[in-house]
Amino acid sequence: MQNKWKLATQTIHAGHQKNSEGALVTPLCQSATFVFENAKQGGARFSGEEQGYIYTRLGNPTTAELERKMAVLEGSEEAVAVASGMAAISSALLANLTQGDHLVASKAVYGCTFSLMKGQLAKFGIQVTLVDFNDHHAICAAIKPETKVLFCETPVNPHLDVFDLSAIADIAKRYALVSIVDNTFMTPLLQRPISHGIDIVVHSATKYLNGHGDVIAGMICASSAQMEVIKYEIIKDFGGVLSPHDAWLILRGLKTLDVRLSRHCDNAEKVAEFLASHPLVSKVYYPGLHSHTGFALLGSQMKRGGGVIAFELQASLEQAILFVDRLSLISIAVSLGDAETLIQHPASMTHSPYSLEERTEAGISDSLLRISVGLESVEDIIEDLSQALSSIDYYRTELTAEIEHTMD
């Protein structure tokens, strides 16, 4: 029966197992280790002859429920919870790459993902080539005999490019590569990459999955064969596990994911329309707008445009900073998916690991701003944006007057 439930229902019920006390809410098993009945049982669990918990780095009942739920939501055989989104990405990559291997990734990715690929992986002799994943010929041209993995985000952080997952999965299968997709911006309620043929899905569970800004976590969803290496080799040995308490908080957050996402998307659509109509905004990047190239994939790949918007101001860097500083309701902070609306400047914040040349190549300009639209009244969000945009006009008027006065 559970397999027939809609995803909105699964966010509440999937993976839950009755407990001996009959508690409605999943009990928090805040224990580092587990007691064996005797030495023989301990040995049997370590050898795999008997199922059961040993040590929380290797598994925990509370964390296991979160993993079961995420596997159902993403449509994967298994899932594993880890300490951060970056732990999810690095674990998925390290499980599939070794010295001398090659990785092909999209030009624009989250700044720390970029830093991992160009800095840390290089230390292990792993090569990385960045290409435009909308150009399928470019992806194929970048593939070498030693290529093992294709990696991308869609929509892309920060400028919301959208890639065709079925086409990327087809390329990966044609060349016998492992495909990995970061699904943080969409969540499985808006996009399910595995249903389009992608092998591994990663999340920063810090964002929409938790939704309350009080947890750092990551998720990996994949086949049992992939998880055998990811969970029992990479995560076991590198140790990037999630605490049971944080898993418990994410389980709580997931119960409202469907209703939160609906509000995030409703608000984002209205904010995007407002920004697109404003004379001081030169471009809006949002898949929910007809003008966005990713709009063509709404309905077939994505259900809605999500809650994140990027936009460019017709302003100097100084004016863009003035605009951000004038906001009062909207908080200046990185991250996304929280109840609060957040704004950040990618070039100097999340994507600062990129050089100027690399940012230009990735399409991340100095005037690009990214908003994670929250759950507040959308009228209040738009009013705050409007009053801050008026500061640019005021600044320009004052500057023009000052220049004219100097010339006189």
Side-chain angles (χ1 to χ4, degrees):
M1 179 64 183
Q2 292 188 13
N3 292 335
K4 297 181 180 179
W5 290 343
K6 303 293 185 184
L7 287 182
T9 303
Q10 299 284 22
T11 61
I12 299 170
H13 293 284
H16 184 67
Q17 295 179 344
K18 290 182 179 180
N19 52 82
S20 58
E21 293 78 17
L24 175 65
V25 176
T26 303
L28 170 57
C29 184
Q30 191 68 52
S31 181
T33 196
F34 298 85
V35 177
F36 310 126
E37 292 181 3
N38 48 55
K40 181 180 179 181
Q41 183 185 63
R45 288 191 183 179
F46 268 92
S47 69
E49 294 175 17
E50 177 183 313
Q51 295 298 307
Y53 295 102
I54 299 170
Y55 188 68
T56 283
R57 178 160 52 84
L58 306 175
N60 175 282
T62 308
T63 308
E65 179 165 325
L66 172 61
E67 293 168 346
R68 291 192 298 271
K69 189 184 296 287
M70 281 304 300
V72 170
L73 293 176
E74 279 291 4
S76 61
E77 291 179 346
E78 292 188 38
V80 63
V82 291
S84 67
M86 285 309 304
I89 292 167
S90 60
S91 297
L93 290 174
L94 289 173
N96 289 282
L97 294 166
T98 189
Q99 186 176 25
D101 285 346
H102 177 241
L103 161 70
V104 178
S106 57
K107 280 184 178 179
V109 290
Y110 170 52
C112 288
T113 305
F114 176 84
S115 181
L116 167 70
M117 291 177 175
K118 301 295 281 189
Q120 303 308 317
L121 293 185
K123 294 179 181 178
F124 298 99
I126 298 169
Q127 304 173 57
V128 180
T129 300
L130 304 178
V131 301
D132 179 0
F133 265 47
N134 276 316
D135 186 343
H136 302 152
H137 294 295
I139 297 174
C140 295
I143 294 171
K144 308 175 181 180
E146 58 269 28
T147 304
K148 296 295 188 297
V149 173
L150 298 183
F151 178 96
C152 71
E153 307 163 350
T154 183
V156 173
N157 187 358
H159 53 51
L160 286 300
D161 264 2
V162 172
F163 303 135
D164 185 332
L165 291 176
S166 294
I168 292 168
D170 286 345
I171 293 171
K173 287 177 173 56
R174 191 189 319 160
Y175 290 92
L177 308 178
V178 174
S179 54
I180 304 175
V181 168
D182 187 332
N183 199 30
T184 298
F185 276 36
M186 287 283 100
T187 84
L189 296 195
L190 298 182
Q191 177 175 268
R192 302 178 86 201
I194 288 172
S195 69
H196 295 275
I198 297 300
D199 297 308
I200 301 175
V201 174
V202 295
H203 288 270
S204 172
T206 309
K207 314 303 193 295
Y208 290 107
L209 299 182
N210 177 55
H212 293 78
D214 52 9
V215 166
I216 299 291
M219 295 297 310
I220 309 169
C221 303
S223 67
S224 298
Q226 276 284 348
M227 207 56 68
E228 187 71 23
V229 178
I230 293 172
K231 188 171 185 177
Y232 298 110
E233 294 183 26
I234 303 301
I235 295 171
K236 176 181 73 69
D237 293 343
F238 282 86
V241 296
L242 186 66
S243 78
H245 182 253
D246 287 347
W248 185 85
L249 288 172
I250 298 169
L251 282 167
R252 183 192 64 174
L254 279 169
K255 290 184 179 182
T256 61
L257 178 61
D258 183 62
V259 292
R260 286 189 288 106
L261 266 182
S262 179
R263 180 64 172 260
H264 281 301
C265 291
D266 287 347
N267 282 358
E269 287 166 6
K270 293 174 183 176
V271 171
E273 290 169 0
F274 163 76
L275 290 171
S277 66
H278 200 286
L280 291 178
V281 177
S282 59
K283 190 163 186 178
V284 177
Y285 305 88
Y286 181 65
L289 291 176
H290 289 270
S291 58
H292 194 283
T293 55
F295 187 82
L297 289 171
L298 281 185
S300 59
Q301 178 172 300
M302 303 180 298
K303 290 184 178 178
R304 299 186 70 178
V308 179
I309 302 168
F311 65 101
E312 305 219 26
L313 292 173
Q314 290 186 356
S316 65
L317 176 59
E318 185 179 20
Q319 291 168 339
I321 290 172
L322 175 68
F323 159 76
V324 171
D325 288 345
R326 282 292 299 272
L327 293 165
S328 58
L329 171 67
I330 300 171
S331 300
I332 307 169
V334 297
S335 198
L336 53 106
D338 292 338
E340 299 83 0
T341 298
L342 309 177
I343 192 167
Q344 65 108 355
H345 179 242
S348 64
M349 298 180 187
T350 54
H351 290 70
S352 56
Y354 284 73
S355 67
L356 176 59
E357 182 180 353
E358 289 165 338
R359 284 202 310 273
T360 302
E361 182 70 16
I364 305 169
S365 72
D366 283 343
S367 64
L368 183 72
L369 298 170
R370 191 194 76 187
I371 294 182
S372 170
V373 181
L375 304 179
E376 304 95 341
S377 166
V378 71
E379 289 82 5
D380 291 332
I381 299 171
I382 290 173
E383 171 58 30
D384 196 29
L385 290 167
S386 181
Q387 65 82 21
L389 284 165
S390 68
S391 67
I392 297 177
D393 268 340
Y394 177 80
Y395 176 88
R396 286 175 174 172
T397 302
E398 289 292 300
L399 183 62
T400 300
E402 183 178 335
I403 292 172
E404 290 175 350
H405 177 74
T406 301
M407 291 176 67
D408 290 342

